[in-house]
Amino acid sequence: MKKIFFLALLCSINAVAQKYELGKVTVQELEEKVCPTDTSAVAAILFSKGESRFTYVENKGFVLSTTVQTKIKIYKKEGYDWANKSVRYYIGGNSKESLSFKNEATYNLVGGKVEKTKLKSDGEFDEKVNDFWGRKKITLPNVKEGSIIEFEYTLTSENFGSLDEWFFQETIPVLYSEFKTYIPDFYVFKPVFKGFLQPKVTQTEKTVTITSVSRDRMTGNNRTNSAASLDQSEYKEMITTYVVQKAPALKEEAYVNNIRNYISSIVLELSGIRKANMAYKDYSTTWEGLVKDIYQNEKFGNELNKTGYYEKEIDAVLAQATSQEEKIAAIFSYVKSNMNWNKYYGYYCNDGVRKAFQNKTGNVAEINLMLTSMLRYAGFDANPVILSSRGNGIALFPARTAFDYVITGLQFKNQMVLLDATNKYALPNILPIRDLNWFGRLIRKDESSTQIDLMPTTNSKEMINLMAEINAQGEITGKTRDQYFDYNAFIYRDSYNGLNNNSRIEKIEKQYLGLEITALEVINSDDLSKPIIENYSFSSTNHVEIIGDKMYFSPLLHFTLKENPFKQETRLYPIDFVFPHQDKYSISVKIPEGYTVETLPESKAIGMSENKAVYKYAISNTGNQIQLVYSFEVNTAIIGSEDYEEVKAFYKDMVEKQTEKVVLKKI
């Protein structure tokens, strides 16, 4: 009994005494072949520790520094990317940030001993992203399967409206994640949690003494002297620690907007300052306060008011239009045709609209604020709409970093029309996919705002007509006519325009393995008012199976959906189809001479509750022709995770129906 008690006590002491420090790499850690919490993991974060601390600096006041230490185990080659780390830092305005890396090293097991390889200067890169942001990157050396990598960086800032988001979870397992803050008690920060894992929170406080030097100037006997004295003051420092252990990898799943929207994390937003002998100053950010600050910024609101640089050109454009619709279309087309996006995001201008107009190149803000201004000049009710792009995540709470993009909202005939001129193939209410991220905020001239739904509500169609013939050897030849409408047409143009026919054929053949494409013709590539029409001839030798005197094939041929994309038992995230769509197939297959239809799949129609999704499968046989009319509709862009079981069952039924075989028997 004493031995059991002693062992339990020893384990308890070891658990409490366990330290997470850089430079402490053991042979046992390097010998480990799989992650103990997830044997499929390509890598795992052994620990990640962040510490944000406010330090008083003479003549500057409080400066925020955040130090992050990370230790990662690489298990498989697919995990090598985790040996690359990039961190952005602010370089615009007066409150620039500084960023430095140190303690970067790779550890390997060589001859039974731990070998350490330090990062050399050629493994660190510093780049300017735009006028506001820089980025430092490191690439750890000598990385192999089994390596352990470590690094540390410190970000120092004089601007602390919010602390950088801390992620407790990643797309690989995180065995230990700790975020600790040291905040003076006169700063009030509001924690905002995201995700499905709740950290363990502990809090303590201590007294901190600030010592500063002051000088008194004294004048007498025609001489000026100064005397130095030390001043001391005290404040309470709140120390808060957030810990999550054994966080599972955030698994990529089908139809997820941005997996990082659902990662467990914390952001601390400055909500107020309470200093002695001063009234409480409220910094709580509201949507109204946020949009007001954005609109009043000279790189936003002032740019909207500039018109002189384009008036002559737009007057000429408007002179050619008669109706209001034609004027809108003409201005939108003019901006798309004359401006080129430089791939920089942001809702603030970099060089300004005037210079961008002269150079015919600009960032998102310069192009779309220019468009908004031109529409206002023409007499339309146009306003900017700030949003968070899909890559930036969903804007859940009001913060400047919640947004990274701006488009134009046009109120016309009691409808909201959304426009984005950064893409040549965009149309009114057909936005680049990066824009389709739940909600944006429209900012009016009076600096008020309203929420705008960015998600499409009408179905984008794709209509496929296929005529095929099977010969006695099971080879299929045929022709396909595919028509793409609305968002389907936009995606096609965005993906294929600019490619020659050979490159387009390669893409189609890669999409439908086993298909050989000839005589490809694409109609309406550049006429955005019409659907894309794609015609091609095809042949295939692997879509018909011959066993004895019978042939087996799916009547959907290469369009057959062969597996259910929804494989997880449960799902925490909404299902994001991007836009509602309807796919319609009309397929005619001629069977070879000397064969007859022995078995034909049954016709079927099935739908989800509230008509969220529907498929209809109608098949018939007349003589030597098999006719299939098939349609599949998703009638809402986003389906909540609470409906996952129904979606999964719907797709299971649809896959089973699509993979059912027609059976031909030799006569």
Side-chain angles (χ1 to χ4, degrees):
M1 188 68 184
K2 289 181 179 179
K3 289 182 179 179
I4 294 173
F5 175 77
F6 176 75
L7 288 173
L9 178 62
L10 183 62
C11 291
S12 176
I13 291 172
N14 286 338
V16 172
Q18 184 177 8
K19 294 183 178 180
Y20 298 94
E21 298 177 350
L22 298 182
K24 307 294 185 181
V25 176
T26 66
V27 171
Q28 183 181 3
E29 287 176 316
L30 289 168
E31 287 178 335
E32 190 175 72
K33 300 300 182 185
V34 296
C35 175
T37 62
D38 182 353
T39 57
S40 67
V42 299
I45 296 175
L46 303 184
F47 73 78
S48 186
K49 294 170 59 180
E51 179 181 287
S52 288
R53 186 189 295 267
F54 289 83
T55 305
Y56 184 81
V57 178
E58 191 79 31
N59 299 322
K60 282 190 176 182
F62 281 96
V63 173
L64 171 65
S65 63
T66 298
T67 299
V68 177
Q69 296 182 334
T70 305
K71 180 178 181 180
I72 302 174
K73 169 76 176 182
I74 307 295
Y75 294 105
K76 302 176 183 178
K77 291 180 180 178
E78 294 82 357
Y80 284 3
D81 282 347
W82 287 91
N84 303 315
K85 179 66 179 179
S86 69
V87 182
R88 74 173 189 171
Y89 60 103
Y90 189 70
I91 59 174
N94 296 322
S95 56
K96 295 181 179 180
E97 297 177 336
S98 63
L99 175 69
S100 61
F101 277 90
K102 68 177 183 178
N103 294 330
E104 315 100 324
T106 303
Y107 297 85
N108 288 297
L109 193 61
V110 179
K113 295 182 179 180
V114 178
E115 180 185 82
K116 179 179 180 180
T117 307
K118 294 183 178 180
L119 179 72
K120 296 181 180 179
S121 58
D122 60 358
E124 183 170 335
F125 312 91
D126 196 355
E127 65 178 8
K128 181 181 179 181
V129 178
N130 55 37
D131 286 349
F132 299 97
W133 294 99
R135 186 184 300 276
K136 284 192 177 181
K137 301 178 181 180
I138 58 170
T139 299
L140 275 298
N142 199 25
V143 175
K144 307 172 183 177
E145 291 182 66
S147 297
I148 287 177
I149 60 171
E150 296 182 337
F151 56 83
E152 176 180 344
Y153 66 85
T154 299
L155 180 68
T156 303
S157 176
E158 297 174 32
N159 180 25
F160 40 84
S162 65
L163 276 62
D164 282 351
E165 187 171 10
W166 178 262
F167 297 100
F168 297 105
Q169 198 175 16
E170 291 289 351
T171 54
I172 57 175
V174 181
L175 303 189
Y176 183 85
S177 180
E178 175 187 294
F179 182 51
K180 183 178 287 189
T181 61
Y182 298 77
I183 300 177
D185 61 352
F186 41 79
Y187 290 135
V188 181
F189 280 84
K190 177 179 67 175
V192 180
F193 295 97
K194 187 174 71 176
F196 303 96
L197 300 177
Q198 288 299 311
K200 179 182 178 182
V201 183
T202 57
Q203 196 169 59
T204 59
E205 68 174 50
K206 70 175 183 180
T207 301
V208 179
T209 301
I210 298 176
T211 302
S212 57
V213 179
S214 63
R215 293 186 177 274
D216 296 324
R217 299 174 64 85
M218 298 175 293
T219 303
N221 299 323
N222 297 321
R223 296 172 61 186
T224 300
N225 299 314
S226 62
S229 61
L230 298 179
D231 295 329
Q232 290 189 332
S233 59
E234 294 182 344
Y235 66 87
K236 295 290 185 182
E237 183 178 66
M238 305 301 297
I239 305 169
T240 308
T241 305
Y242 307 87
V243 173
V244 170
Q245 298 191 62
K246 296 182 179 179
L250 199 67
K251 300 289 187 182
E252 290 283 354
E253 295 186 28
Y255 300 103
V256 173
N257 175 330
N258 178 350
I259 196 70
R260 299 190 78 83
N261 285 331
Y262 313 104
I263 200 167
S264 292
S265 67
I266 182 175
V267 173
L268 282 88
E269 289 282 332
L270 181 64
S271 59
I273 296 179
R274 52 185 178 204
K275 290 186 178 180
N277 304 319
M278 290 178 60
Y280 178 77
K281 190 168 184 179
D282 188 1
Y283 280 92
S284 296
T285 305
T286 62
W287 293 116
E288 290 74 16
L290 175 64
V291 299
K292 184 176 181 179
D293 287 347
I294 291 174
Y295 201 92
Q296 290 179 352
N297 189 288
E298 62 180 9
K299 291 181 177 291
F300 192 95
N302 285 350
E303 300 292 332
L304 280 168
N305 295 327
K306 296 175 181 177
T307 63
Y309 66 94
Y310 64 68
E311 287 182 6
K312 182 179 178 181
E313 287 80 359
I314 294 303
D315 285 342
V317 169
L318 294 173
Q320 303 299 315
T322 55
S323 68
Q324 296 292 83
E325 288 84 356
E326 287 179 357
K327 290 180 181 180
I328 294 169
I331 293 173
F332 188 36
S333 179
Y334 177 84
V335 178
K336 287 194 298 175
S337 300
N338 286 273
M339 296 300 300
N340 297 293
W341 180 41
N342 59 16
K343 306 302 180 184
Y344 285 163
Y345 287 49
Y347 51 80
Y348 286 145
C349 296
N350 282 342
D351 299 325
V353 289
R354 188 186 304 276
K355 187 174 181 180
F357 184 80
Q358 292 170 350
N359 296 335
K360 297 185 180 298
T361 300
N363 71 353
V364 166
E366 285 153 353
I367 291 173
N368 285 327
L369 293 182
M370 182 188 303
L371 171 63
T372 305
S373 178
M374 289 176 177
L375 288 168
R376 286 181 174 180
Y377 175 76
F380 294 103
D381 183 8
N383 294 290
V385 177
I386 55 174
L387 59 89
S388 175
S389 67
R390 292 172 76 87
N392 191 55
I394 299 169
L396 297 173
F397 51 88
R400 287 178 178 83
T401 54
F403 300 103
D404 69 335
Y405 208 94
V406 60
I407 61 175
T408 299
L410 174 67
Q411 190 70 37
F412 185 68
K413 293 186 175 180
N414 298 318
Q415 289 186 337
M416 179 57 62
V417 180
L418 301 178
L419 305 166
D420 184 347
T422 63
N423 189 290
K424 307 295 184 185
Y425 309 117
L427 289 167
N429 285 333
I430 302 293
L431 302 171
I433 302 302
R434 57 181 173 266
D435 299 1
L436 306 183
N437 197 27
W438 292 32
F439 298 102
R441 294 202 73 83
L442 179 142
I443 310 177
R444 305 182 185 91
K445 290 181 181 179
D446 62 3
E447 298 173 3
S448 64
S449 72
T450 189
Q451 182 171 275
I452 297 294
D453 190 347
L454 301 170
M455 303 306 291
T457 56
T458 57
N459 277 356
S460 292
K461 295 181 180 180
E462 181 177 358
M463 300 179 67
I464 297 168
N465 289 275
L466 183 151
M467 297 184 67
E469 181 176 350
I470 304 174
N471 66 19
Q473 289 73 44
E475 298 170 343
I476 301 177
T477 55
K479 293 184 178 181
T480 298
R481 179 180 177 84
D482 201 341
Q483 297 182 77
Y484 301 85
F485 298 80
D486 301 325
Y487 270 103
N488 287 318
F490 169 82
I491 292 172
Y492 188 98
R493 291 184 174 104
D494 205 38
S495 301
Y496 289 96
N497 275 20
L499 298 180
N500 59 37
N501 259 20
N502 287 336
S503 297
R504 294 188 188 197
I505 287 172
E506 285 179 12
K507 279 201 167 190
I508 299 171
E509 290 179 341
K510 187 175 181 180
Q511 182 181 2
Y512 303 115
L513 294 177
L515 219 61
E516 289 189 15
I517 304 295
T518 58
L520 175 67
E521 177 191 29
V522 180
I523 303 171
N524 301 330
S525 286
D526 299 313
D527 189 346
L528 306 189
S529 66
K530 296 179 180 179
I532 285 279
I533 300 175
E534 180 185 68
N535 297 319
Y536 60 83
S537 299
F538 69 89
S539 61
S540 170
T541 58
N542 68 347
H543 285 92
V544 176
E545 185 179 15
I546 300 177
I547 301 176
D549 62 349
K550 295 183 180 181
M551 289 186 179
Y552 302 81
F553 66 94
S554 165
L556 276 158
L557 302 178
H558 51 278
F559 294 115
T560 304
L561 180 64
K562 295 180 180 179
E563 63 178 32
N564 189 345
F566 301 103
K567 299 180 176 68
Q568 303 292 333
E569 288 298 319
T570 59
R571 180 165 174 137
L572 299 173
Y573 330 123
I575 301 159
D576 184 356
F577 291 103
V578 186
F579 52 87
H581 60 88
Q582 181 187 63
D583 304 334
K584 300 185 75 172
Y585 299 81
S586 177
I587 296 174
S588 177
V589 180
K590 182 180 179 181
I591 67 175
E593 290 185 15
Y595 281 82
T596 186
V597 175
E598 180 182 79
T599 305
L600 205 64
E602 293 182 359
S603 296
K604 188 174 185 178
I606 189 171
M608 287 183 59
S609 60
E610 299 176 1
N611 203 39
K612 295 186 187 76
V614 177
Y615 84 77
K616 297 176 182 178
Y617 183 105
I619 191 167
S620 62
N621 167 223
T622 304
N624 65 350
Q625 294 286 336
I626 295 173
Q627 298 282 344
L628 173 67
V629 177
Y630 177 81
S631 66
F632 167 52
E633 299 176 22
V634 173
N635 296 313
T636 181
I638 298 173
I639 297 179
S641 58
E642 66 276 8
D643 294 322
Y644 177 66
E645 285 300 322
E646 187 182 8
V647 173
K648 185 177 178 181
F650 175 85
Y651 267 79
K652 178 177 181 292
D653 193 286
M654 184 169 65
V655 169
E656 288 175 354
K657 176 52 63 177
Q658 288 198 22
T659 53
E660 285 183 5
K661 305 292 187 182
V662 172
V663 181
L664 305 181
K665 184 177 180 180
K666 206 168 190 178
I667 301 173

